[in-house]
Amino acid sequence: MAVYAGTKTAVRAISKGLRQEAGEKLRVTVILPGFTLTNFAESMTNPEAKAQIVASMEKFAMSPDAIARAIAFAIEQPADVDVGRLLSGPPRRRNATSRKPG
């Protein structure tokens, strides 16, 4: 996980620098997708961890189509709109023990 976190930080820093250097010549959007249904678990060697990730994906993950729609949204904006960062995630779900407000 340390490498993953480090690469995410590097992408943000590089994107910020690119945005500053390019000025108005280039729009830079950092896509920060939330938990997304992928084949990530296929590469896992620990069976327990793999099963946990697969179960979590089946329960909580967004579809790749949802991320594609979010990216299309950023691309389709007019020239005078810059989507600098796009943070997406699955809808928040209440767990069974949550109380309703009021």
Side-chain angles (χ1 to χ4, degrees), residues 4-48:
Y4 176 75
T7 57
K8 282 187 80 164
T9 300
V11 166
R12 288 186 202 146
I14 292 167
S15 298
K16 183 177 180 180
L18 180 58
R19 186 177 296 111
Q20 291 172 351
E21 290 174 11
E24 294 180 15
K25 299 175 190 173
L26 181 69
R27 293 188 295 180
V28 178
T29 302
V30 176
I31 308 295
L32 302 164
F35 196 35
T36 306
L37 187 59
T38 66
N39 63 354
F40 173 74
E42 290 177 15
S43 65
M44 299 180 80
T45 56
N46 180 312
E48 293 85 17

Side-chain angles (χ1 to χ4, degrees), residues 33-37 52-53 55-58 60-63 67 88-90:
F35 196 35
T36 306
L37 187 59
Q52 185 177 14
I53 290 293
S56 292
M57 280 189 182
E58 290 172 354
F60 300 113
M62 294 182 301
S63 73
I67 299 301
S88 61

